[in-house]
Amino acid sequence: MPRVPGWLGRLGESLSRMGERLDERRAEAEREDQLHPPYEGPVERPADRAHPDAVAPARPKTRPATPARPEEDPDTASPLPDTAAVAATEPGPSVPAPPSYAPAVAARPDPVAAIPWGMRVAAEASWRLLVFAGTVWVLMKVISSVQLVVLAFVAALLVTALLQPTVAMLRRKGLPRGLATAVTAVSGFVVMGLVGWFVVWQVMDNIDNLSDQVKNGIEELKLALLNSPFHVTEQQINAIAKNLSDSVGANAEQITQVGLQGVTVVVETMTGILLAMFSTLFLLYDGKKVWEWTLKLVPAQARPGVAGAGPRAWRTLTAYVRGTVLVALIDAVFIGLGLYFLDVPMAVPLAVFIFLFAFIPLVGAVISGALAVVVALVTNGLFTSLMVLVVVLAVQQIEGHVLQPFILGRAVRVHPLAVVLAVAAGGLTAGIGGAVVAVPLVAVSNTVVGYLRAYTTEQALRSAPEPRGATAFEVAPTPAPGSAAGPRSGT
């Protein structure tokens, strides 16, 4: 057998002695635990330490019974205490009572409960508003990139709302859907084309006479300024005219660019008109199928509410378009008659302009009325312009206080402030087209939001559990006096 090195033997002896000492200390600790068990009384709380005169709870006087162990043979018994027996007699882990001088430490609250309720509501509303604002911003960017298509489709919706009742009437009289749609669309487009041609014809026919009258009006205005108490001299008037002429000559290049842009605008306008005509034709013919296809894009959970809001929004749009057309027609006829009897040139074209600008609420009436007053001032003098102003104001007051409440009624309920803000936002976003479609868009949105709010409330009431017992008896409808219905008393 090979000889073990001395250092290895000494290492083994040291490890053996260390193991024996660990066993002795473990046995001594177990014996001390058996003789002196830890305190098992209730843990003193900070609230108990707040009252030193309070009576402390009594400690238990009995220890838990130790299960009996079977008799062991003295020869085979181990000199160390039984670990299982010691573990059985040991109490469970317990927390020692804190000393009386220890300060009370409050538990940390839940972070959610530590934030005030108002701040939590404001935070949740803020991030939802940020998401909504981002969505609207992206949507506006997309709409601005395809502005011509959007405006053409919205114009088609407005024309469809105006012509759809005629299609329904023709179908009730027995005409097929295709024939009724064709007759209505062709008739509507022909009437609109004739109105546009008449306006252009009247302007071109009276342009020479109007030019001469404008020159005469400018001369009269010049004489009025010279004779006015403002001490305006002829040299100052000539200097203003020369500055205007120089400004036009200096900006000739920009004016040429504007003219070229005008050609582009004309092409885009014609494209939009053709697109609106085709969209109107298909909406009149297959409007129901288009709406059903649109509903398929809505999530199934929200589909019933949207399906109910759609017809109500369409009724609001139809009422708005038909009422606006009737009010604009009345304004154009009466203001046109006033211009005709006052011998203002181009009375009929001005009446047509008044009719078209009436589709821009509030702002359109001001612009068209100012145009008529300016034409009367330049051509017929101050007195005639004042009379035109009186006629325009009288007709517009009758329109705002009598015609609109009577014709539109409660179908379109939009506050005047909302109308002004909508027209301004629409004009800044998409020009005249945006100003025209802003108010019907606000009216339709108001109808849709009101219906969805009522629909959500109704669905919540339906999904609520039905009352039972005494609660059901309390909420049951009360029978009318003298009726036989009512609760019966049992025996």
Side-chain angles (χ1 to χ4, degrees), residues 161-480:
L162 180 62
L163 300 180
Q164 193 271 337
T166 306
V167 176
M169 181 188 67
L170 294 178
R171 291 196 62 187
R172 286 195 300 268
K173 292 185 178 297
L175 269 71
R177 182 176 61 177
L179 183 59
T181 301
V183 170
T184 304
V186 171
S187 302
F189 296 151
V190 167
V191 171
M192 295 178 190
L194 288 176
V195 170
W197 170 81
F198 182 76
V199 171
V200 174
W201 173 61
Q202 286 289 318
V203 172
M204 297 302 296
D205 188 53
N206 294 281
I207 191 67
D208 296 333
N209 186 22
L210 180 64
S211 177
D212 296 335
Q213 291 181 344
V214 168
K215 291 179 182 179
N216 296 331
I218 292 176
E219 291 296 331
E220 292 179 0
L221 182 61
K222 179 180 177 180
L223 293 176
L225 289 175
L226 290 175
N227 298 325
S228 66
F230 298 106
H231 304 289
V232 179
T233 63
E234 187 173 359
Q235 289 78 11
Q236 293 176 343
I237 296 176
N238 293 333
I240 294 174
K242 186 176 181 301
N243 292 332
L244 291 176
S245 178
D246 294 340
S247 300
V248 171
N251 298 323
E253 184 179 355
Q254 296 181 0
I255 294 174
T256 304
Q257 292 179 357
V258 171
L260 294 176
Q261 292 178 359
V263 176
T264 305
V265 169
V266 170
V267 174
E268 291 182 354
T269 303
M270 295 302 298
T271 304
I273 290 174
L274 292 176
L275 183 58
M277 291 173 61
F278 279 105
S279 300
T280 302
L281 186 62
F282 285 109
L283 288 175
L284 288 174
Y285 184 75
D286 272 339
K288 185 177 180 181
K289 292 183 180 179
V290 172
W291 172 243
E292 292 175 353
W293 177 82
T294 306
L295 282 178
K296 294 179 182 178
L297 303 177
V298 181
Q301 186 176 3
R303 195 171 298 165
V306 177
R312 290 165 175 79
W314 182 252
R315 285 196 293 268
T316 299
L317 182 62
T318 303
Y320 173 82
V321 173
R322 297 175 68 180
T324 304
V325 168
L326 185 57
V327 171
L329 183 62
I330 294 174
D331 286 353
V333 169
F334 283 96
I335 295 178
L337 288 175
L339 295 175
Y340 177 76
F341 287 113
L342 290 173
D343 199 19
V344 177
M346 295 194 306
V348 177
L350 287 175
V352 174
F353 278 115
I354 291 171
F355 173 80
L356 295 177
F357 277 94
F359 286 91
I360 306 177
L362 299 181
V363 180
V366 174
I367 295 175
S368 60
L371 179 62
V373 172
V374 169
V375 171
L377 175 64
V378 173
T379 57
N380 290 9
L382 182 60
F383 177 76
T384 305
S385 64
L386 291 177
M387 295 303 297
V388 171
L389 179 61
V390 171
V391 171
V392 170
L393 291 178
V395 173
Q396 290 182 357
Q397 290 299 315
I398 295 174
E399 169 205 339
H401 294 86
V402 178
L403 296 180
Q404 285 189 353
F406 179 73
I407 296 175
L408 296 179
R410 298 173 60 88
V412 182
R413 292 174 292 180
V414 181
H415 196 273
L417 179 60
V419 172
V420 174
L421 295 178
V423 171
L428 293 175
T429 304
I432 297 178
V436 171
V437 304
V439 177
L441 180 61
V442 171
V444 169
S445 301
N446 185 28
T447 301
V448 170
V449 170
Y451 173 79
L452 291 179
R453 186 187 300 115
Y455 176 80
T456 303
T457 305
E458 182 182 356
Q459 291 299 112
L461 292 177
R462 288 183 178 181
S463 60
E466 297 182 358
R468 297 181 179 181
T471 305
F473 181 79
E474 291 175 0
V475 301
T478 305

Side-chain angles (χ1 to χ4, degrees), residues 41-89:
V43 179
E44 183 180 3
R45 297 175 297 180
D48 298 334
R49 293 200 305 270
H51 304 280
D53 297 338
V55 179
R59 296 178 57 183
K61 298 180 179 180
T62 59
R63 297 179 58 188
T66 304
R69 295 180 296 173
E71 296 294 333
E72 297 180 347
D73 189 358
D75 298 333
T76 60
S78 173
L80 298 176
D82 188 2
T83 305
V86 173
T89 58

